[in-house]
């Protein structure tokens, strides 16, 4: 698998009890060139998915995670909201293309939420508070490009790989 | 993901092993491993030998353990990190807060 594209749209009933990360990762690592990056790719997918679900679909606020107690409260609220979820969706559009030196994995993830003021968030330089704020920092660091799109309910992350990486991993 | 924990004979060192994906799905089990001891441990080892994947919720869980164990004075070692896992810890600067061994 070298040049491919797939979309997956998950609705409320599915989001309640289905974890799409193993499935998505399984598809990505069908490309041997991507398989050597699976740990990093998992982290990118997990961050983008949890942001879409937690903030976009469920409307949870990360500022709750200011201390250990808030961190635990955040995840118990998440469980409650998810159990009662009646509407909402997350769309994955994932595409892999080859380049002269390797390839690019383009991940576009859109949620049914109303978005947020990402310009202000970007201007604040991704403020980290307590136990939150590291997810997007990670994605930005691991990916060649990262953008918020539309009202902020859609993101695009581009992960690039080059052939020498593959050779290094094999030695 | 599964969590197992072991206290040393003298009760001073607690080892928490994480197998599978390390994320919030076992938040309660992870906290129970260190919060329910009769006497708090003095040293902590988080063994990630069987953990290939982690996300930022795992980082939050590690930070919560660090605060519980005394913050800047905490003695926590993260051992047997896979290269991709170590990369995540370095990017988020957790390598400055924990002792990390591959």
């Amino acid at each position: 698998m070298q040049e491919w594209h797939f979309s997956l749209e998950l609705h409320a009933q599915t989001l309640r009890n289905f974890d799409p990360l193993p499935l998505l990762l399984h598809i990505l690592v069908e490309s041997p060139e991507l398989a050597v990056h699976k740990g990093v790719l998992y982290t990118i997918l997990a961050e983008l998915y949890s942001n879409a679900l937690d903030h976009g679909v469920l409307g949870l606020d990360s500022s709750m995670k200011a201390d250990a107690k808030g961190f635990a409260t955040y995840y118990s609220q998440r469980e409650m909201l998810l159990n009662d979820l009646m509407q909402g969706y997350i769309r994955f559009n994932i595409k892999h293309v080859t380049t002269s030196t390797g390839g690019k994995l383009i991940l576009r993830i859109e949620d049914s939420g109303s978005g947020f003021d990402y310009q202000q968030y970007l201007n604040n330089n991704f403020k980290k508070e307590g136990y939150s704020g590291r997810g997007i920092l990670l994605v930005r660091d691991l990916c060649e490009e990262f953008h918020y799109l539309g009202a902020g309910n859609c993101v695009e992350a581009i992960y690039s790989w080059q052939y020498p990486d593959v050779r290094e991993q094999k030695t | 993901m599964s969590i197992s924990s072991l206290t040393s004979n003298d009760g001073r060192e607690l080892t928490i092993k994480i197998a599978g994906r390390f994320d919030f799905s076992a938040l309660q089990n992870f906290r129970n491993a260190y919060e329910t001891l009769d006497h708090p441990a003095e040293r902590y080892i988080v063994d990630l030998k069987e953990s290939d994947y982690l996300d930022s919720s795992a980082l939050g869980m590690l930070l919560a353990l660090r605060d519980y164990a005394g913050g800047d004075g905490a003695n926590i070692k993260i051992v047997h990190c896979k290269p991709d896992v170590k990369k995540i810890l370095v990017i988020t600067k957790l390598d400055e807060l924990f002792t990390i061994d591959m």
Side-chain angles (χ1 to χ4, degrees), chain A residues 2-154:
Chain A
Q2 286 223 300
E3 299 262 348
W4 49 263
H5 167 242
F6 72 90
S7 324
L8 178 69
E9 182 171 309
L10 304 177
H11 292 232
Q13 273 89 340
T14 304
L15 292 170
R16 262 189 242 158
N17 49 31
F18 175 69
D19 173 4
L21 295 175
L23 170 69
L24 293 171
L25 192 66
H26 190 77
I27 297 171
L28 302 192
V29 302
E30 281 296 312
S31 298
E33 297 85 357
L34 289 176
V36 293
H37 302 268
K38 68 177 188 227
V40 161
L41 290 173
Y42 171 80
T43 302
I44 296 170
L45 280 171
E47 297 309 334
L48 297 178
Y49 177 63
S50 59
N51 275 336
L53 184 61
D54 293 12
H55 309 313
V57 175
L58 301 177
L60 282 161
D61 184 349
S62 278
S63 63
M64 213 190 279
K65 292 191 262 188
D67 55 28
K69 202 170 161 231
F71 185 76
T73 310
Y74 178 93
Y75 285 105
S76 60
Q77 281 210 10
R78 182 187 183 280
E79 196 183 340
M80 240 167 48
L81 290 168
L82 197 55
N83 279 337
D84 297 339
L85 188 67
M86 295 304 283
Q87 55 183 5
Y89 63 81
I90 295 178
R91 287 189 189 122
F92 298 88
N93 257 296
I94 303 184
K95 186 176 176 180
H96 185 248
V97 294
T98 49
T99 62
S100 54
T101 55
K104 276 178 202 274
L105 181 71
I106 302 154
L107 304 153
R108 195 180 268 226
I109 295 169
E110 184 189 335
D111 63 63
S112 55
S114 52
F116 74 111
D117 186 353
Y118 55 90
Q119 208 52 55
Q120 194 196 351
Y121 177 62
L122 295 171
N123 292 343
N124 282 342
N125 226 355
F126 304 97
K127 207 162 85 192
K128 283 201 295 287
E129 274 177 40
Y131 301 165
S132 80
R134 287 172 183 81
I136 287 303
L137 186 97
L138 264 176
V139 175
R140 291 247 303 181
D141 203 283
L142 296 169
C143 290
E144 183 189 33
E145 285 184 46
F146 176 78
H147 307 286
Y148 288 104
L149 302 170
N153 63 324
C154 185

